[in-house]
Amino acid sequence: MTNLTEAKLAREAELCYATIAMITDYDCWHPQHDAVTLDEIIGNLSRNTANVQRVLHEVVRELPDTRSCKCGSALAHAILTDRTAISRATKKRLAPIIGKYIS
Ligand SMILES: [Zn+2]
């Protein structure tokens, strides 16, 4: 469930998308661990923040100028509606998102 909405919206917007998940604690499911404290969570959160900043710094530096993946055309075959059935008003409203496929 985590990131489902974000991933779906990114796909619909034809954006490349990846998730970096950072864990702060075992919450309540781990029988070998005591109950978590706020200090532990905040400490892990702070370390995670520093780590993700380092990761992003390296990843962004390595991103190519142009993408070679198919994210940018993810909707090319996703719109099944007959284009002639899409009203002019709907085409205008959806133009910023899918204009290249329905114009
Ligand atoms: Zn991509």
Side-chain angles (χ1 to χ4, degrees):
M1 293 185 292
T2 301
N3 285 3
L4 170 63
T5 303
E6 294 90 335
K8 185 176 176 180
L9 290 172
R11 176 58 65 181
E12 288 178 357
E14 299 185 330
L15 299 171
C16 295
Y17 180 81
T19 297
I20 300 174
M22 310 283 244
I23 299 167
T24 57
D25 62 277
Y26 284 111
D27 203 10
C28 59
W29 63 268
H30 203 302
Q32 276 88 39
H33 285 264
D34 294 333
V36 66
T37 67
L38 182 59
D39 286 342
E40 289 172 328
I41 292 173
I42 298 299
N44 288 335
L45 182 63
S46 296
R47 285 185 289 279
N48 286 344
T49 300
N51 285 335
V52 79
Q53 287 173 338
R54 283 193 295 273
V55 168
L56 287 175
H57 185 79
E58 293 300 319
V59 168
V60 168
R61 188 188 331 216
E62 296 296 322
L63 288 175
D65 293 333
T66 57
R67 57 182 172 177
S68 58
C69 61
K70 296 184 177 183
C71 299
S73 59
L75 297 182
H77 304 290
I79 301 167
L80 303 179
T81 303
D82 181 348
R83 304 310 192 259
T84 61
I86 302 172
S87 71
R88 180 175 284 175
T90 298
K91 286 180 179 179
K92 184 176 181 182
R93 187 169 42 88
L94 297 178
I97 304 169
I98 58 173
K100 66 182 176 183
Y101 299 118
I102 62 172
S103 57

